[in-house]
Amino acid sequence: MAIIELKNIYKKYGDQSDVIEDFNLSIEQGEFVVFLGPSGCGKSTILRMIMGLESITSGELKIKGKLQNNIPAKHRNIAMVFQNYALYPHMSVFNNIAFGLKVRKTPRKEIKEKVTKVADLLNLTPYLKRKPKNLSGGQMQRVALGRAMVRDTDIFLMDEPLSNLDAKLRTTMREELVQLHRNLSATTIFVTHDQMEAMTMGDKIVILDAGKIQQVGSPDEIYHQPENLFVAEFIGAKKMNLLELTKDERGVTYSNQVIKLPVFEADKEADILGVRAEDCRLSLTEGYPFEITFIEKLGSDQYIHGISDGEKVIVREKPEKTFEVGQQIYFTINEEKIHWFNRETGEKVRPKNG
Amino acid sequence: MEKATRSERIILFLILAFIGVFMVFPMIWMFLSSLKTTEEVLGSTMTFLPSDPQWSNFSGALELAPFLRYIWNSFSTATVIVLAQLFLSSLLAYALTQMEFRGRNVLFMIILATYMLPAATTYVPSYIIISRMGLMDSLAGVVVSNIVDVFSLFLLRQGFLKVPGELIEAARADGASEWRILWRIVVPTSKNTLINAALISFIGHFNNYLWPSLITNSEENFLISVGLNRFFNSQGAFGQTFPLIMAATVISILPLIIVYFLLQKYFIGAISSSEGIKG
Amino acid sequence: MDKQANFKQLFVFVLIPLIPLVIFWIIPLIISVWLSLTNWDYISPTYEYVGLDNYLNLINNDAFLDALNNTLLFTVATVIPTIVLGFVFAVMLNQLRKTKGFLQGLMFAPWITPMVGMSIVWSWMFNPSVGPINQVLGLFGLPEPNWLSDSSTAIWAVIIVTVWKGVGWAMLFFSDALTKIPKGLFEAADVEGAGLGQRIRMILIPLVSPMTLFLFIILTLDALQAYDQISILTQGGPSGSTRTLLYLYYEMTFQQFNIGAGTAVTVLILIISAFLAFLSMILSKKFVFY
Ligand SMILES: Nc1ncnc2c1ncn2[C@@H]1O[C@H](COP(=O)(O)OP(=O)(O)OP(=O)(O)O)[C@@H](O)[C@H]1O
Ligand SMILES: [Mg+2]
């Protein structure tokens, strides 16, 4: 049974237009769900509605089958880690972690036990007496996590909890969080606008743009089967190459060469061909014309940027091959890895029985 | 804090509006009373609005004592005091924030300490000093003895601390003198702090009572509070002249009320910027 | 060009601004302490050193002990309500949106008015027969005290006026402190299940405590130096019930010309202030957390 269910959720601030539109999602017990989307797309807003910090304009929010729309935050029994930590500056680390327990009048002995255990798990034991101002970013981060973990709950909401950390610490914390999730097996919703974070951590990724769900799926699905142009461009170290197709008497063409189209479902039409950089190859003799504009060497690979028939195209190549900027060559496409889209709807167009 | 719902906000507004009206009630009542007749005021039934506004009470009050003169005295002395204070405090605040010299911190602590001490402790000796200077019963005496103002020094110091150090270093590198840096760079960048300090100080000196009442004797040198109190006492504490006293009080308060409504946002700003000056 | 100041600069930037401070604060302070050890009466050209006699006399003087008592009552009964009400009003105002500025303006207005003028108005508002206060109390069938002419109520009348004038000032300071508290802290507490009362007690009050301490010191120093309202409303009476230390000093010095005893009173006020200043330093160590 789904532990969190959002049905037809809308959100409006004042008399502005909808910030969230027709949001539908159900989350299973123990899942690690990542909300991914550009800044301002409404990730925090949804999280805050689930938490009860923001009212729901219309729609239904159910947790464990019970309608939550009018239940105040403090009765929802959900733990949340805030984007900017929101540590209480006047309390020691111990008291910050213990706050939620104290508020619920937990016996002192129990508080001490629980806080000690959590602090141990998060390597915070040496800092229990310190005030937040004397902690590093990573330590504050862990206190904020500890504050959520000490609570007796099985739902965690985390709003970009790693965004303020440096790259190295972020990687370590990512692993720790995943590990933690395995140990606690609590349902977690994790918000981020960093796709690496999303791809490495999530069981399920929810991609949002402008208040609407673009796609829900596993990291593999999101990467290999983008449902629309937004996802295709948003996901991946390099955005997907999108080639505009033209129609003439010979059929559909790109750069004056006829492209063989599959037969599409339900008589739909495709006018954009999408293909990832790793599914293209450069060639000196055949393919579509390609003029190299820029070479990006990454050690293990190199990305060759170029212009083909007025479009920007990126091709991944092995590091041993040498190319030069300005070179006029060709590129080819692995036909099995093509994604077809319709420009007007922005949607993916599926070939029949494939 | 927790966001109040719309209906909660309406209730809060009503409660606070009631309190707000209570806070300005003495001013409203004063104004209404200044327009009443003596009979209306002393009558046993409570009347709120004057039945027939007696605007003549104002001219009556002005005939009995030179209130405009008092207001002018308050205004002019407060203005001179504020200007002198800002000038001297700017110099000292600059030295305390941007210059290095031995004993800087000790000096600041001493100045901080004097702020804590009651002014009354200095009255007798200052009285003697003023009379030795031959400034007894003169507006010059009022000005000279009030030039010290530690509070405005704190405000300015606080403001000057916020001036970016690179700005001053760049000017020094260009060969500007400290004097020039202060007046051309630091003071213009701290304009708001100066306005705030000026307003707070102006109000205090415009309304000042005890000390000016000790060192002035003749009517032509009274500040408004001193003159008003003399008038109040000379009219008898309970009398037929009550509406006249109210009219006189209205006259004495009016200038500040006008200043307040024109410059309200600076007053509120003054509070924000003085925050941070702690014990 | 370095920051180290040379003599000429020190002369202009430090010594000149310090002249008034020295002439009208530091020197008078020292003279006052000296005068409090003499029996000078202002009129005679000569005076004698009397050691601590003035202080010893004061301690055995009922008028002084009463004044000390009144000062204590006046200080506590003005400072605490001013802080509490200022805080409550600020918290309530913080919930409002468009009307906040307007209401703040109304509440702060008393602070800018002259104490002398407004005390005159209040003295009539307190009038037992024609003043609006008793008329309103009468409407509700409440007791109608004689306010300023009754020694048991006079000090409360002075306290009411003082709180009325200061509460808007405290409210503005607290409003400012409240707007600087990150909103997320209250949400975090909400999420952790803290009720409104708990949030106020465990988050809000500790977070504004530095401001509370600051206001406590300023208001206490003001209360110790209150003069204008007492001088107009009650002149220390009836039967000395509103005579504070400062008012006693005024009477002794400028009415009885007992300079030695009068300055001894101010030196005592000074010692109380200095003690408070010291106390506040210690307390601020405990309170300052960021
Ligand atoms: N209190 C508010 N009043 C009005 N509009 C708001 C409010 N809070 C958020 N919004 C708007 O709602 C939209 C979604 O905001 P939200 O904070 O959910 O974005 P986000 O996806 O979390 O972005 P980020 O990655 O920058 O945190 C934005 O356009 C924002 O301007
Ligand atoms: Mg956000």
Side-chain angles (χ1 to χ4, degrees):
Chain A
M1 192 190 83
I3 182 164
I4 301 176
E5 265 187 286
L6 296 122
K7 264 196 213 148
N8 309 106
I9 300 271
Y10 282 80
K11 175 70 190 176
K12 211 190 244 279
Y13 286 106
D15 36 356
Q16 298 171 7
S17 54
D18 291 328
V19 170
I20 301 294
E21 268 182 75
D22 197 18
F23 191 94
N24 290 287
L25 185 68
S26 79
I27 294 168
E28 303 299 318
Q29 167 69 45
E31 257 184 323
F32 195 110
V33 178
V34 177
F35 286 1
L36 175 65
S39 186
C41 68
K43 306 179 296 287
S44 296
T45 305
I46 295 168
L47 210 63
R48 293 167 57 83
M49 285 193 290
I50 297 173
M51 187 64 244
L53 295 172
E54 212 69 74
S55 65
I56 295 170
T57 308
S58 74
E60 281 186 355
L61 167 67
K62 282 188 184 162
I63 295 176
K64 297 180 186 156
K66 288 202 203 84
L67 191 68
Q68 302 287 310
N69 291 37
N70 294 317
I71 301 205
K74 65 172 171 166
H75 295 312
R76 293 193 189 181
N77 199 26
I78 303 176
M80 178 156 174
V81 180
F82 287 82
Q83 192 159 354
N84 50 10
Y85 316 145
L87 300 184
Y88 311 118
H90 56 298
M91 294 181 194
S92 65
V93 168
F94 182 95
N95 285 330
N96 260 286
I97 298 177
F99 184 82
L101 298 173
K102 280 190 183 165
V103 158
R104 285 161 208 273
K105 309 237 162 11
T106 315
R108 270 167 170 265
K109 218 176 124 237
E110 199 183 326
I111 294 183
K112 190 150 196 306
E113 273 168 22
K114 286 192 166 167
V115 174
T116 315
K117 210 175 115 205
V118 167
D120 205 36
L121 201 66
L122 292 169
N123 290 327
L124 282 172
T125 314
Y127 315 113
L128 282 176
K129 287 208 171 67
R130 288 206 200 162
K131 297 259 171 82
K133 69 165 177 186
N134 298 324
L135 297 178
S136 74
Q139 291 160 349
M140 290 204 265
Q141 176 60 60
R142 280 178 279 161
V143 177
L145 274 170
R147 211 165 56 173
M149 279 163 54
V150 81
R151 294 268 310 280
D152 195 13
T153 175
D154 47 7
I155 301 177
F156 288 97
L157 308 181
M158 305 186 182
D159 194 353
E160 304 195 31
L162 308 184
S163 59
N164 294 343
L165 305 183
D166 67 48
K168 185 158 170 286
L169 197 55
R170 198 184 298 197
T171 326
T172 338
M173 285 304 296
R174 239 185 245 163
E175 285 160 18
E176 285 185 30
L177 274 180
V178 170
Q179 194 62 45
L180 206 70
H181 174 250
R182 276 198 205 116
N183 294 344
L184 302 173
S185 71
T187 312
T188 305
I189 304 181
F190 185 100
V191 166
T192 180
H193 56 235
D194 176 339
Q195 52 162 308
M196 274 302 281
E197 218 162 87
M199 301 296 264
T200 49
M201 296 176 82
D203 296 331
K204 181 149 119 186
I205 298 178
V206 177
I207 299 198
L208 285 163
D209 184 43
K212 283 194 212 114
I213 294 189
Q214 303 296 323
Q215 186 168 354
V216 179
S218 68
D220 270 355
E221 286 166 350
I222 297 277
Y223 187 81
H224 294 293
Q225 297 158 38
E227 288 292 325
N228 56 35
L229 286 171
F230 176 81
V231 178
E233 290 193 280
F234 190 69
I235 296 294
K238 291 282 172 277
K239 70 188 205 76
M240 186 181 278
N241 296 316
L242 297 174
L243 310 178
E244 194 107 23
L245 306 178
T246 30
K247 243 186 185 164
D248 60 19
E249 63 282 2
R250 291 174 291 165
V252 171
T253 63
Y254 174 71
S255 187
N256 245 338
Q257 303 181 32
V258 177
I259 305 264
K260 210 178 113 229
L261 291 186
V263 181
F264 292 114
E265 275 181 340
D267 298 332
K268 284 192 178 155
E269 282 188 30
D271 47 11
I272 291 187
L273 181 161
V275 62
R276 294 211 176 268
E278 63 263 33
D279 299 324
C280 301
R281 282 283 166 279
L282 291 180
S283 158
L284 295 175
T285 50
E286 50 157 5
Y288 309 102
F290 185 87
E291 180 183 348
I292 301 178
T293 54
F294 173 60
I295 299 171
E296 191 181 354
K297 292 200 193 264
L298 295 177
S300 58
D301 299 298
Q302 55 181 338
Y303 284 101
I304 317 294
H305 298 243
I307 302 253
S308 165
D309 201 21
E311 311 237 19
K312 281 189 185 160
V313 172
I314 305 173
V315 177
R316 191 174 78 180
E317 273 293 351
K318 301 236 158 52
E320 309 85 58
K321 297 197 180 172
T322 49
F323 299 97
E324 270 170 41
V325 172
Q327 231 180 325
Q328 307 257 6
I329 48 174
Y330 302 92
F331 78 99
T332 57
I333 293 170
N334 177 349
E335 296 191 352
E336 285 172 9
K337 296 290 174 74
I338 293 179
H339 306 265
W340 304 101
F341 298 97
N342 183 294
R343 160 79 55 203
E344 206 169 313
T345 60
E347 296 294 323
K348 175 180 192 125
V349 187
R350 284 189 186 74
K352 230 171 205 164
N353 24 304
Chain B
M1 281 254 329
E2 191 170 4
K3 271 169 276 172
T5 63
R6 198 181 160 77
S7 53
E8 280 169 344
R9 284 206 308 275
I10 291 172
I11 294 170
L12 273 179
F13 171 77
L14 291 177
I15 296 172
L16 289 166
F18 178 79
I19 296 167
V21 168
F22 173 80
M23 298 299 272
V24 291
F25 178 78
M27 279 86 106
I28 296 169
W29 184 75
M30 158 188 80
F31 181 67
L32 294 174
S33 300
S34 72
L35 295 174
K36 288 177 182 172
T37 62
T38 311
E39 292 71 39
E40 261 180 290
V41 169
L42 299 181
S44 54
T45 50
M46 186 168 69
T47 52
F48 187 64
L49 291 174
S51 52
D52 173 23
Q54 305 286 305
W55 295 101
S56 62
N57 286 341
F58 287 91
S59 51
L62 289 174
E63 270 163 32
L64 288 170
F67 285 105
L68 297 180
R69 167 91 207 187
Y70 302 156
I71 289 175
W72 169 248
N73 287 347
S74 275
F75 177 80
S76 55
T77 51
T79 306
V80 176
I81 290 168
V82 166
L83 291 178
Q85 270 174 4
L86 288 187
F87 176 72
L88 294 175
S89 300
S90 295
L91 288 173
L92 194 50
Y94 182 80
L96 288 172
T97 55
Q98 311 295 350
M99 290 170 137
E100 270 166 21
F101 53 91
R102 275 181 60 195
R104 188 175 86 164
N105 292 334
V106 176
L107 179 66
F108 182 63
M109 290 306 288
I110 291 173
I111 296 172
L112 194 81
T114 61
Y115 177 64
M116 298 278 194
L117 305 179
T121 320
T122 65
Y123 285 171
V124 173
S126 295
Y127 188 89
I128 301 167
I129 292 168
I130 288 284
S131 64
R132 291 268 168 88
M133 291 170 109
L135 294 175
M136 197 47 80
D137 193 19
S138 72
L139 292 179
V142 174
V143 169
V144 167
S145 56
N146 275 311
I147 282 180
V148 190
D149 183 25
V150 180
F151 193 69
S152 73
L153 176 71
F154 286 157
L155 278 182
L156 291 194
R157 178 178 172 272
Q158 210 70 17
F160 287 6
L161 280 176
K162 289 186 204 135
V163 178
E166 303 92 70
L167 219 58
I168 290 157
E169 272 151 23
R172 282 203 181 111
D174 287 344
S177 67
E178 301 294 314
W179 179 264
R180 213 181 156 78
I181 296 173
L182 169 59
W183 301 113
R184 290 294 163 81
I185 292 168
V186 177
V187 164
T189 12
S190 317
K191 199 178 86 213
N192 279 340
T193 313
L194 270 100
I195 296 176
N196 297 336
L199 274 176
I200 290 190
S201 173
F202 184 87
I203 300 281
H205 290 289
F206 191 93
N207 290 338
N208 204 355
Y209 172 66
L210 175 55
W211 174 244
S213 80
L214 295 176
I215 59 168
T216 53
N217 283 317
S218 35
E219 204 166 61
E220 82 251 24
N221 291 329
F222 285 166
L223 300 192
I224 183 67
S225 287
V226 182
L228 183 67
N229 194 31
R230 292 291 164 100
F231 178 73
F232 177 55
N233 289 332
S234 69
Q235 296 301 312
F238 194 96
Q240 305 300 312
T241 49
F242 170 70
L244 284 185
I245 292 176
M246 287 298 116
T249 313
V250 170
I251 294 168
S252 74
I253 291 176
L254 212 55
L256 286 184
I257 300 271
I258 292 170
V259 170
Y260 179 54
F261 277 100
L262 290 179
L263 301 176
Q264 210 196 84
K265 77 166 196 231
Y266 286 104
F267 281 94
I268 306 216
I271 305 290
S272 313
S273 63
S274 57
E275 185 266 340
I277 303 161
K278 284 165 196 153
Chain C
M1 274 281 139
D2 71 320
K3 285 173 101 182
Q4 199 68 38
N6 59 34
F7 180 75
K8 194 177 129 230
Q9 286 168 344
L10 283 185
F11 183 79
V12 174
F13 285 87
V14 179
L15 291 184
I16 291 183
L18 281 180
I19 293 171
L21 187 77
V22 171
I23 296 184
F24 289 103
W25 274 93
I26 314 267
I27 294 178
L29 224 57
I30 296 164
I31 299 179
S32 266
V33 174
W34 162 246
L35 285 176
S36 74
L37 303 173
T38 70
N39 64 355
W40 192 37
D41 61 4
Y42 191 68
I43 296 142
S44 353
T46 60
Y47 53 85
E48 287 158 22
Y49 174 76
V50 296
L52 291 176
D53 280 6
N54 288 323
Y55 293 93
L56 296 176
N57 289 341
L58 282 179
I59 292 171
N60 295 317
N61 179 344
D62 283 345
F64 172 78
L65 295 177
D66 284 347
L68 186 63
N69 205 4
N70 291 338
T71 306
L72 226 60
L73 172 64
F74 178 78
T75 306
V76 172
T78 54
V79 171
I80 291 175
T82 306
I83 287 182
V84 171
L85 291 176
F87 176 72
V88 172
F89 293 166
V91 170
M92 289 164 78
L93 280 165
N94 203 32
Q95 298 285 350
L96 298 181
R97 292 167 192 186
K98 288 175 202 134
T99 52
K100 177 176 167 185
F102 170 71
L103 291 174
Q104 280 184 325
L106 286 187
M107 290 192 186
F108 183 62
W111 188 80
I112 57 127
T113 59
M115 188 52 118
V116 170
M118 290 322 293
S119 297
I120 293 174
V121 174
W122 276 96
S123 74
W124 284 91
M125 305 229 311
F126 281 124
N127 186 301
S129 50
V130 301
I133 293 178
N134 276 6
Q135 287 179 343
V136 170
L137 290 179
L139 275 184
F140 292 98
L142 293 165
E144 300 178 40
N146 274 329
W147 292 112
L148 300 172
S149 46
D150 180 337
S151 61
S152 64
T153 52
I155 196 157
W156 293 103
V158 181
I159 287 167
I160 290 172
V161 175
T162 312
V163 172
W164 167 78
K165 204 156 182 300
V167 72
W169 167 258
M171 175 276 296
L172 273 193
F173 275 91
F174 277 125
S175 287
D176 189 57
L178 289 183
T179 56
K180 288 182 182 147
I181 297 179
K183 186 167 141 263
L185 292 188
F186 295 110
E187 290 182 346
D190 194 6
V191 164
E192 294 194 65
L196 184 64
Q198 284 169 319
R199 266 173 284 162
I200 291 180
R201 211 176 57 243
M202 298 168 83
I203 312 274
L204 189 56
I205 292 182
L207 283 176
V208 296
S209 61
M211 180 56 81
T212 312
L213 179 68
F214 169 73
L215 284 174
F216 173 80
I217 295 163
I218 298 278
L219 289 168
T220 305
L221 293 176
D222 277 354
L224 289 175
Q225 303 187 51
Y227 172 82
D228 300 2
Q229 60 272 53
I230 299 172
S231 149
I232 283 144
L233 291 169
T234 60
Q235 270 124 17
S239 58
S241 63
T242 58
R243 188 189 289 122
T244 58
L245 286 180
L246 195 89
Y247 204 81
L248 179 72
Y249 153 79
Y250 172 78
E251 287 179 343
M252 283 178 158
T253 315
F254 297 101
Q255 290 179 347
Q256 299 154 11
F257 297 107
N258 191 348
I259 308 284
T263 45
V265 174
T266 57
V267 171
L268 288 175
I269 299 177
L270 190 151
I271 290 170
I272 297 175
S273 304
F275 171 73
L276 276 168
F278 179 69
L279 191 72
S280 70
M281 300 251 183
I282 294 175
L283 284 177
S284 72
K285 291 238 162 59
K286 258 187 92 170
F287 277 123
V288 170
F289 48 80
Y290 50 81

